[in-house]
Amino acid sequence: MNYILISPYYPKNFQNFAHRLKDAGVYVFGIGEEPYEQLGSTLQTSLSEYYRVKSLENLDEVKRAVAFLFYKHGPIDRIESHNEYWLELDAQLREQFHVYGNKPADLKKVKLKSEMKKLFRKAGVPVVEGSVVENEQELTEAVAQLGLPVIAKPDNGVGSAATFKLSSEEDVRQFEAEWAEKTAYFLEPYIEGGKLCTFDGLTDQEGNIVFQTSFTYNVPTLELVQGQLDLFYVIQKEIEPKLEAYGKAIVKTFGMKERFFHIEFFQLETGDYVALEYNNRLAGGYTIDMYNYAYSTDLFAQYATLVTGGKFQEPKVPNQFCIGVTQRDAYQYQNDTKAIRDRFGDKVKFAERMPEAFAHLQGNQFYAINAETEEEVNQITRFVHERKK
């Protein structure tokens, strides 16, 4: 099997895809912007060949790279980055070279928030009603219909990027000036008191869910960014039954195969859920590593097994909570990495600096820490986030 990894070097923890695919007997080829010597010996060893391009943004240049690898090594079986930013590039390359997986026509339902809503409804899952706006008149009409406050986010966008909370007419005017009708936006009512949570997992080549999990945030991402608040999120030991039912219905309706998925929900104060977004990829940052620590598994290897036609291997030990908790360089904390390791010992699975791309959102110093009980989760988060007086 020949497998092309787009951007195999970044993010660093995703280099494990190359290592595990090679271990599974796959010929792994990399296309990226970094000089070959920057990859390091371990990644170099896992790649059968590396083709450097000046820019992954240059579609023609990347197509030439794929064509070269195709000519030299034979038909390509997979092209994948596992990265939200390159989803459209991956799809365009698959279509050009007739490779298995999502093509550009398949991405509409996982890129446009307005299209996601239609499929959530089809799956029988509650949603927050909203409107697509492309000009000032449509914006005015949507605000009048929905009422303030509203959330405004690009209809075709990534995560919380370029997202606004509009609470007043002044906010609307400021947004209007910054937006300048450059792209379509999706407006929906702001949900007060909602808890942000997820239904995440992996499907096999038939679209069956072979791995599923859920995590909850201590604060919604928009508030986290705007307030530069302390973050923690927790991989749960169990998935609440209604959330699981909604998540499974959505995965079935979207019909994606051999894919990781990351579906965001708000849990309402009533206990019910509303679906927010379907992401056709892994959750970002170090979340896949947290899954591995929570479930005592190796999802990089599990994915490689699925790609090569094997079966997902169920973990043989009970799962645990795994907490992702961060500290921001802008604040002074009572406990540093040494104190955290001294306090929680081998429950601290790793302590890493966050990549700059995620730091503004999540924080600068990241810890993944396992816990057995919710009480222990609370003790850990309080200890890490305690600030100096």
Side-chain angles (χ1 to χ4, degrees):
M1 172 179 272
N2 291 334
Y3 191 117
I4 291 179
L5 270 177
I6 302 297
S7 185
Y9 179 78
Y10 181 87
K12 184 178 178 181
N13 59 326
F14 281 20
Q15 293 179 21
N16 284 310
F17 282 113
H19 306 327
R20 301 300 183 268
L21 286 163
K22 178 179 183 283
D23 292 343
V26 176
Y27 293 100
V28 186
F29 309 105
I31 299 176
E33 300 174 356
E34 293 80 14
Y36 181 72
E37 56 272 16
Q38 186 177 331
L39 303 183
S41 60
T42 305
L43 182 55
Q44 289 171 356
T45 301
S46 292
L47 297 177
S48 297
E49 184 158 350
Y50 179 70
Y51 193 111
R52 185 189 181 192
V53 294
K54 290 182 180 178
S55 173
L56 288 171
E57 304 277 2
N58 187 327
L59 179 60
D60 289 337
E61 186 182 17
V62 179
K63 284 182 176 179
R64 287 194 294 272
V66 175
F68 171 82
L69 294 170
F70 196 112
Y71 174 79
K72 184 174 179 180
H73 299 283
I76 303 300
D77 300 288
R78 299 289 189 277
I79 299 175
E80 184 60 70
S81 66
H82 301 286
N83 190 318
E84 173 95 47
Y85 192 81
W86 302 119
L87 283 183
E88 293 185 51
L89 173 62
D90 297 341
Q92 290 171 316
L93 295 172
R94 293 190 200 105
E95 183 168 72
Q96 175 78 26
F97 294 95
H98 307 287
V99 173
Y100 173 92
N102 292 335
K103 309 302 191 295
D106 301 315
L107 292 189
K108 184 178 180 182
K109 61 187 175 184
V110 296
K111 292 292 289 181
L112 299 180
K113 295 175 177 63
S114 53
E115 293 298 319
M116 292 177 196
K117 299 274 187 182
K118 297 175 185 177
L119 289 177
F120 292 154
R121 293 190 196 96
K122 184 178 178 181
V125 177
V127 298
V128 178
E129 299 300 328
S131 299
V132 177
V133 300
E134 297 184 357
N135 54 56
E136 290 184 12
Q137 180 178 344
E138 292 178 351
L139 174 65
T140 300
E141 291 172 355
V143 169
Q145 178 186 357
L146 299 172
L148 296 175
V150 297
I151 295 294
K153 48 192 173 184
D155 193 31
N156 183 353
V158 178
S160 59
T163 297
F164 301 84
K165 179 183 177 183
L166 310 180
S167 300
S168 65
E169 287 299 328
E170 183 181 355
D171 291 341
V172 175
R173 300 287 81 81
Q174 289 178 349
F175 166 71
E176 208 169 62
E178 186 168 338
W179 169 42
E181 302 181 0
K182 292 190 287 283
T183 186
Y185 257 73
F186 190 84
L187 266 64
E188 61 187 17
Y190 176 75
I191 300 175
E192 296 284 354
K195 179 190 292 185
L196 186 60
C197 58
T198 74
F199 181 76
D200 296 2
L202 173 64
T203 59
D204 64 15
Q205 293 177 352
E206 283 72 52
N208 302 308
I209 297 174
V210 293
F211 172 78
Q212 63 182 37
T213 186
S214 174
F215 64 83
T216 58
Y217 285 95
N218 66 317
V219 64
T221 51
L222 181 61
E223 295 176 20
L224 181 74
V225 174
Q226 291 183 338
Q228 288 294 280
L229 306 175
D230 285 327
L231 164 75
F232 71 85
Y233 62 104
V234 185
I235 309 294
Q236 298 295 307
K237 292 177 76 170
E238 297 178 353
I239 306 174
E240 199 277 325
K242 181 175 283 189
L243 176 62
E244 180 179 3
Y246 284 162
K248 286 182 173 179
I250 289 172
V251 171
K252 182 177 180 180
T253 302
F254 274 74
M256 295 300 182
K257 299 178 179 180
E258 198 184 277
R259 296 293 308 179
F260 288 98
F261 58 86
H262 168 57
I263 310 171
E264 296 181 350
F265 293 82
F266 262 133
Q267 183 179 21
L268 307 176
E269 292 178 338
T270 62
D272 203 359
Y273 297 85
V274 292
L276 299 178
E277 291 187 21
Y278 182 104
N279 296 280
N280 202 34
R281 44 83 182 171
L282 282 161
Y286 295 111
T287 307
I288 186 172
D289 305 283
M290 292 171 58
Y291 298 154
N292 288 339
Y293 289 122
Y295 288 84
S296 300
T297 189
D298 183 341
L299 285 171
F300 299 104
Q302 297 270 27
Y303 171 80
T305 297
L306 290 184
V307 167
T308 52
K311 299 292 185 182
F312 189 91
Q313 301 298 312
E314 293 291 338
K316 293 181 170 56
V317 297
N319 60 300
Q320 303 177 67
F321 292 108
C322 187
I323 312 148
V325 55
T326 65
Q327 295 177 337
R328 295 186 182 274
D329 289 350
Y331 309 131
Q332 290 188 318
Y333 296 90
Q334 189 68 39
N335 302 300
D336 60 10
T337 299
K338 182 180 183 304
I340 292 167
R341 288 192 180 279
D342 288 345
R343 174 70 175 80
F344 299 108
D346 60 6
K347 290 181 182 292
V348 181
K349 298 306 176 182
F350 66 87
E352 295 282 352
R353 295 292 292 176
M354 286 293 291
E356 284 303 312
F358 301 109
H360 183 67
L361 169 62
Q362 294 192 346
N364 304 95
Q365 180 66 34
F366 186 94
Y367 301 93
I369 307 174
N370 275 12
E372 293 288 348
T373 65
E374 290 189 8
E375 181 182 357
E376 193 174 12
V377 169
N378 294 332
Q379 290 173 353
I380 290 167
T381 55
R382 284 197 300 267
F383 189 85
V384 176
H385 283 162
E386 183 183 358
R387 297 187 190 175
K388 291 183 178 180
K389 300 289 193 291

